[in-house]
Short mmCIF file of all heavy atoms in Angstrom, two decimals:
data_model
loop_
_atom_site.label_atom_id
_atom_site.label_comp_id
_atom_site.label_asym_id
_atom_site.label_seq_id
_atom_site.Cartn_x
_atom_site.Cartn_y
_atom_site.Cartn_z
N ILE A 1 21.22 0.55 5.94
CA ILE A 1 20.80 -0.79 5.55
C ILE A 1 21.99 -1.54 4.97
O ILE A 1 22.73 -1.00 4.15
CB ILE A 1 19.64 -0.73 4.55
CG1 ILE A 1 18.42 -0.09 5.21
CG2 ILE A 1 19.30 -2.11 4.01
CD1 ILE A 1 17.28 0.21 4.26
N SER A 2 22.13 -2.76 5.38
CA SER A 2 23.20 -3.59 4.88
C SER A 2 22.72 -5.03 4.77
O SER A 2 21.62 -5.36 5.21
CB SER A 2 24.43 -3.50 5.80
OG SER A 2 24.12 -3.93 7.11
N ARG A 3 23.53 -5.86 4.17
CA ARG A 3 23.19 -7.27 4.10
C ARG A 3 24.44 -8.10 4.09
O ARG A 3 25.52 -7.65 3.68
CB ARG A 3 22.30 -7.57 2.88
CG ARG A 3 23.01 -7.47 1.54
CD ARG A 3 22.01 -7.58 0.38
NE ARG A 3 21.24 -8.81 0.44
CZ ARG A 3 20.16 -9.06 -0.30
NH1 ARG A 3 19.71 -8.13 -1.15
NH2 ARG A 3 19.53 -10.22 -0.18
N ASP A 4 24.28 -9.32 4.53
CA ASP A 4 25.37 -10.29 4.55
C ASP A 4 24.85 -11.51 3.81
O ASP A 4 24.08 -12.30 4.36
CB ASP A 4 25.76 -10.62 5.99
CG ASP A 4 26.99 -11.50 6.08
OD1 ASP A 4 27.30 -12.23 5.12
OD2 ASP A 4 27.66 -11.46 7.13
N LYS A 5 25.26 -11.65 2.58
CA LYS A 5 24.76 -12.74 1.76
C LYS A 5 25.16 -14.11 2.30
O LYS A 5 24.40 -15.07 2.19
CB LYS A 5 25.22 -12.58 0.32
CG LYS A 5 24.57 -11.42 -0.41
CD LYS A 5 24.99 -11.38 -1.86
CE LYS A 5 24.25 -10.28 -2.60
NZ LYS A 5 24.65 -10.25 -4.04
N ALA A 6 26.34 -14.19 2.87
CA ALA A 6 26.80 -15.46 3.41
C ALA A 6 25.91 -15.94 4.55
O ALA A 6 25.75 -17.14 4.76
CB ALA A 6 28.24 -15.34 3.88
N LYS A 7 25.33 -15.00 5.29
CA LYS A 7 24.46 -15.33 6.40
C LYS A 7 22.99 -15.26 6.04
O LYS A 7 22.13 -15.49 6.89
CB LYS A 7 24.73 -14.39 7.58
CG LYS A 7 26.12 -14.54 8.17
CD LYS A 7 26.32 -13.59 9.35
CE LYS A 7 27.69 -13.75 9.96
NZ LYS A 7 27.90 -12.82 11.10
N ASN A 8 22.71 -14.93 4.78
CA ASN A 8 21.32 -14.82 4.31
C ASN A 8 20.53 -13.86 5.21
O ASN A 8 19.41 -14.16 5.64
CB ASN A 8 20.66 -16.20 4.28
CG ASN A 8 19.56 -16.32 3.26
OD1 ASN A 8 19.49 -15.55 2.29
ND2 ASN A 8 18.67 -17.30 3.46
N THR A 9 21.14 -12.73 5.48
CA THR A 9 20.62 -11.81 6.48
C THR A 9 20.77 -10.37 6.01
O THR A 9 21.73 -10.02 5.32
CB THR A 9 21.38 -11.99 7.81
OG1 THR A 9 21.23 -13.35 8.25
CG2 THR A 9 20.85 -11.06 8.88
N ALA A 10 19.80 -9.55 6.36
CA ALA A 10 19.88 -8.12 6.11
C ALA A 10 19.71 -7.39 7.43
O ALA A 10 19.16 -7.92 8.39
CB ALA A 10 18.82 -7.67 5.11
N TYR A 11 20.17 -6.15 7.47
CA TYR A 11 20.16 -5.38 8.71
C TYR A 11 19.62 -3.98 8.49
O TYR A 11 19.77 -3.39 7.41
CB TYR A 11 21.57 -5.27 9.28
CG TYR A 11 22.24 -6.60 9.52
CD1 TYR A 11 23.09 -7.15 8.56
CD2 TYR A 11 22.02 -7.31 10.69
CE1 TYR A 11 23.71 -8.37 8.77
CE2 TYR A 11 22.63 -8.53 10.91
CZ TYR A 11 23.48 -9.06 9.94
OH TYR A 11 24.08 -10.27 10.15
N LEU A 12 19.03 -3.47 9.53
CA LEU A 12 18.63 -2.07 9.58
C LEU A 12 19.23 -1.48 10.85
O LEU A 12 18.78 -1.77 11.95
CB LEU A 12 17.11 -1.92 9.59
CG LEU A 12 16.57 -0.50 9.80
CD1 LEU A 12 16.99 0.42 8.67
CD2 LEU A 12 15.05 -0.52 9.94
N GLN A 13 20.25 -0.68 10.67
CA GLN A 13 20.86 0.02 11.79
C GLN A 13 20.16 1.36 11.95
O GLN A 13 20.07 2.13 10.99
CB GLN A 13 22.36 0.25 11.54
CG GLN A 13 23.06 1.08 12.60
CD GLN A 13 23.20 0.37 13.92
OE1 GLN A 13 23.47 -0.82 13.95
NE2 GLN A 13 23.00 1.09 15.02
N MET A 14 19.66 1.62 13.14
CA MET A 14 18.95 2.86 13.41
C MET A 14 19.64 3.59 14.55
O MET A 14 19.87 3.01 15.62
CB MET A 14 17.50 2.58 13.77
CG MET A 14 16.73 1.83 12.68
SD MET A 14 14.96 1.74 13.01
CE MET A 14 14.97 0.64 14.43
N ASP A 15 19.94 4.83 14.30
CA ASP A 15 20.63 5.66 15.28
C ASP A 15 19.80 6.91 15.58
O ASP A 15 18.94 7.30 14.80
CB ASP A 15 22.00 6.08 14.75
CG ASP A 15 22.90 4.91 14.44
OD1 ASP A 15 23.07 4.04 15.31
OD2 ASP A 15 23.43 4.86 13.30
N ASN A 16 20.12 7.52 16.70
CA ASN A 16 19.43 8.74 17.11
C ASN A 16 17.92 8.57 17.04
O ASN A 16 17.20 9.38 16.46
CB ASN A 16 19.88 9.92 16.24
CG ASN A 16 19.45 11.27 16.76
OD1 ASN A 16 19.23 12.19 15.99
ND2 ASN A 16 19.32 11.39 18.08
N LEU A 17 17.44 7.51 17.64
CA LEU A 17 16.02 7.21 17.59
C LEU A 17 15.19 8.23 18.34
O LEU A 17 15.63 8.80 19.34
CB LEU A 17 15.77 5.81 18.15
CG LEU A 17 16.20 4.68 17.22
CD1 LEU A 17 16.31 3.37 17.99
CD2 LEU A 17 15.21 4.54 16.07
N ARG A 18 14.00 8.44 17.84
CA ARG A 18 13.06 9.40 18.40
C ARG A 18 11.76 8.70 18.77
O ARG A 18 11.44 7.66 18.21
CB ARG A 18 12.77 10.49 17.36
CG ARG A 18 14.00 11.18 16.81
CD ARG A 18 13.68 11.95 15.55
NE ARG A 18 14.87 12.56 14.97
CZ ARG A 18 14.91 13.13 13.78
NH1 ARG A 18 13.82 13.17 13.02
NH2 ARG A 18 16.04 13.66 13.34
N PRO A 19 11.00 9.27 19.70
CA PRO A 19 9.73 8.64 20.05
C PRO A 19 8.82 8.40 18.85
O PRO A 19 8.09 7.40 18.82
CB PRO A 19 9.11 9.64 21.03
CG PRO A 19 10.29 10.28 21.68
CD PRO A 19 11.31 10.40 20.58
N GLU A 20 8.86 9.28 17.88
CA GLU A 20 8.03 9.10 16.70
C GLU A 20 8.48 7.95 15.80
O GLU A 20 7.80 7.61 14.84
CB GLU A 20 7.94 10.40 15.88
CG GLU A 20 9.29 11.00 15.52
CD GLU A 20 9.72 12.10 16.48
OE1 GLU A 20 9.55 11.94 17.70
OE2 GLU A 20 10.23 13.14 16.00
N ASP A 21 9.63 7.37 16.11
CA ASP A 21 10.07 6.17 15.40
C ASP A 21 9.40 4.91 15.92
O ASP A 21 9.59 3.83 15.36
CB ASP A 21 11.59 6.01 15.51
CG ASP A 21 12.36 7.10 14.79
OD1 ASP A 21 11.92 7.52 13.70
OD2 ASP A 21 13.41 7.52 15.32
N THR A 22 8.64 5.04 16.99
CA THR A 22 7.94 3.89 17.55
C THR A 22 6.98 3.32 16.51
O THR A 22 6.11 4.02 15.99
CB THR A 22 7.17 4.30 18.81
OG1 THR A 22 8.11 4.71 19.82
CG2 THR A 22 6.35 3.14 19.35
N ALA A 23 7.14 2.06 16.21
CA ALA A 23 6.35 1.41 15.17
C ALA A 23 6.72 -0.06 15.12
O ALA A 23 7.66 -0.52 15.77
CB ALA A 23 6.62 2.06 13.81
N VAL A 24 5.97 -0.78 14.32
CA VAL A 24 6.36 -2.14 13.96
C VAL A 24 7.19 -2.05 12.69
O VAL A 24 6.78 -1.44 11.71
CB VAL A 24 5.14 -3.05 13.74
CG1 VAL A 24 5.58 -4.44 13.30
CG2 VAL A 24 4.32 -3.14 15.02
N TYR A 25 8.34 -2.67 12.72
CA TYR A 25 9.27 -2.62 11.60
C TYR A 25 9.26 -3.94 10.86
O TYR A 25 9.31 -5.01 11.47
CB TYR A 25 10.68 -2.28 12.09
CG TYR A 25 10.83 -0.82 12.45
CD1 TYR A 25 10.21 -0.31 13.59
CD2 TYR A 25 11.56 0.04 11.64
CE1 TYR A 25 10.32 1.04 13.91
CE2 TYR A 25 11.67 1.39 11.96
CZ TYR A 25 11.05 1.88 13.09
OH TYR A 25 11.16 3.21 13.41
N TYR A 26 9.21 -3.84 9.54
CA TYR A 26 9.13 -5.01 8.68
C TYR A 26 10.26 -5.02 7.67
O TYR A 26 10.67 -3.97 7.18
CB TYR A 26 7.82 -5.01 7.88
CG TYR A 26 6.56 -5.04 8.71
CD1 TYR A 26 5.98 -3.87 9.17
CD2 TYR A 26 5.94 -6.24 9.00
CE1 TYR A 26 4.81 -3.89 9.91
CE2 TYR A 26 4.77 -6.27 9.74
CZ TYR A 26 4.21 -5.09 10.19
OH TYR A 26 3.05 -5.12 10.92
N CYS A 27 10.72 -6.20 7.36
CA CYS A 27 11.57 -6.36 6.20
C CYS A 27 10.78 -7.10 5.12
O CYS A 27 9.82 -7.81 5.40
CB CYS A 27 12.88 -7.09 6.52
SG CYS A 27 12.71 -8.82 7.01
N ALA A 28 11.18 -6.90 3.90
CA ALA A 28 10.50 -7.51 2.78
C ALA A 28 11.48 -7.74 1.64
O ALA A 28 12.52 -7.09 1.56
CB ALA A 28 9.35 -6.62 2.31
N ALA A 29 11.14 -8.66 0.76
CA ALA A 29 12.00 -9.01 -0.36
C ALA A 29 11.31 -8.71 -1.68
O ALA A 29 10.12 -9.00 -1.85
CB ALA A 29 12.38 -10.49 -0.30
N THR A 30 12.06 -8.13 -2.59
CA THR A 30 11.52 -7.75 -3.89
C THR A 30 12.41 -8.27 -5.02
O THR A 30 13.62 -8.27 -4.90
CB THR A 30 11.40 -6.21 -4.01
OG1 THR A 30 10.94 -5.88 -5.33
CG2 THR A 30 12.75 -5.53 -3.78
N PRO A 31 11.80 -8.71 -6.12
CA PRO A 31 12.61 -9.11 -7.27
C PRO A 31 13.10 -7.93 -8.09
O PRO A 31 13.93 -8.12 -8.97
CB PRO A 31 11.63 -9.97 -8.09
CG PRO A 31 10.30 -9.38 -7.79
CD PRO A 31 10.36 -8.97 -6.35
N TYR A 32 12.60 -6.74 -7.80
CA TYR A 32 13.02 -5.57 -8.54
C TYR A 32 14.35 -5.05 -8.04
O TYR A 32 14.75 -5.27 -6.89
CB TYR A 32 11.96 -4.47 -8.43
CG TYR A 32 10.66 -4.82 -9.11
CD1 TYR A 32 9.61 -5.35 -8.37
CD2 TYR A 32 10.50 -4.63 -10.48
CE1 TYR A 32 8.42 -5.69 -8.99
CE2 TYR A 32 9.31 -4.96 -11.09
CZ TYR A 32 8.27 -5.49 -10.34
OH TYR A 32 7.09 -5.81 -10.96
N TYR A 33 15.01 -4.33 -8.91
CA TYR A 33 16.29 -3.74 -8.54
C TYR A 33 16.10 -2.77 -7.37
O TYR A 33 16.90 -2.75 -6.43
CB TYR A 33 16.91 -3.02 -9.73
CG TYR A 33 18.22 -2.33 -9.43
CD1 TYR A 33 19.40 -3.06 -9.36
CD2 TYR A 33 18.27 -0.96 -9.21
CE1 TYR A 33 20.60 -2.44 -9.07
CE2 TYR A 33 19.48 -0.34 -8.93
CZ TYR A 33 20.64 -1.08 -8.86
OH TYR A 33 21.83 -0.46 -8.58
N SER A 34 15.06 -1.97 -7.47
CA SER A 34 14.77 -1.01 -6.42
C SER A 34 13.30 -0.64 -6.50
O SER A 34 12.76 -0.42 -7.58
CB SER A 34 15.63 0.24 -6.58
OG SER A 34 15.36 1.19 -5.56
N CYS A 35 12.63 -0.59 -5.37
CA CYS A 35 11.26 -0.11 -5.32
C CYS A 35 10.94 0.33 -3.90
O CYS A 35 11.54 -0.15 -2.94
CB CYS A 35 10.27 -1.17 -5.80
SG CYS A 35 10.14 -2.63 -4.77
N SER A 36 10.01 1.25 -3.81
CA SER A 36 9.66 1.83 -2.53
C SER A 36 8.20 1.60 -2.14
O SER A 36 7.77 2.02 -1.07
CB SER A 36 9.96 3.33 -2.52
OG SER A 36 9.24 4.00 -3.55
N GLY A 37 7.45 0.94 -3.00
CA GLY A 37 6.06 0.67 -2.72
C GLY A 37 5.87 -0.73 -2.17
O GLY A 37 6.61 -1.65 -2.51
N THR A 38 4.88 -0.89 -1.33
CA THR A 38 4.63 -2.20 -0.74
C THR A 38 4.25 -3.24 -1.78
O THR A 38 4.52 -4.43 -1.59
CB THR A 38 3.52 -2.12 0.32
OG1 THR A 38 2.32 -1.60 -0.28
CG2 THR A 38 3.94 -1.21 1.47
N GLY A 39 3.66 -2.80 -2.88
CA GLY A 39 3.15 -3.72 -3.89
C GLY A 39 4.22 -4.48 -4.66
O GLY A 39 3.91 -5.50 -5.29
N CYS A 40 5.44 -4.01 -4.65
CA CYS A 40 6.49 -4.67 -5.40
C CYS A 40 7.31 -5.64 -4.56
O CYS A 40 8.29 -6.19 -5.05
CB CYS A 40 7.40 -3.64 -6.08
SG CYS A 40 8.12 -2.43 -4.97
N TYR A 41 6.90 -5.85 -3.35
CA TYR A 41 7.59 -6.79 -2.47
C TYR A 41 6.79 -8.08 -2.35
O TYR A 41 5.60 -8.06 -2.03
CB TYR A 41 7.84 -6.17 -1.09
CG TYR A 41 8.94 -5.14 -1.13
CD1 TYR A 41 8.68 -3.83 -1.52
CD2 TYR A 41 10.25 -5.49 -0.83
CE1 TYR A 41 9.69 -2.89 -1.59
CE2 TYR A 41 11.27 -4.56 -0.90
CZ TYR A 41 10.99 -3.26 -1.28
OH TYR A 41 12.00 -2.33 -1.36
N ASP A 42 7.45 -9.19 -2.60
CA ASP A 42 6.78 -10.48 -2.64
C ASP A 42 6.69 -11.17 -1.29
O ASP A 42 5.74 -11.92 -1.04
CB ASP A 42 7.52 -11.42 -3.61
CG ASP A 42 7.41 -10.97 -5.05
OD1 ASP A 42 6.49 -10.21 -5.39
OD2 ASP A 42 8.26 -11.40 -5.86
N TYR A 43 7.66 -10.96 -0.45
CA TYR A 43 7.72 -11.63 0.84
C TYR A 43 7.89 -10.62 1.95
O TYR A 43 8.65 -9.65 1.82
CB TYR A 43 8.87 -12.64 0.87
CG TYR A 43 8.79 -13.68 -0.21
CD1 TYR A 43 9.60 -13.59 -1.33
CD2 TYR A 43 7.90 -14.74 -0.11
CE1 TYR A 43 9.52 -14.54 -2.34
CE2 TYR A 43 7.81 -15.69 -1.11
CZ TYR A 43 8.63 -15.59 -2.22
OH TYR A 43 8.55 -16.53 -3.21
#
């Protein structure tokens, strides 16, 4: 995971993908320093 603040953009680089990785992928924004639960993401 990386981000480019100048471009207001974040990235998810995924390598060695597997069939079980098939899914809908979402990005989200949180005001917290770090969190892993869906409830702490505002957008």
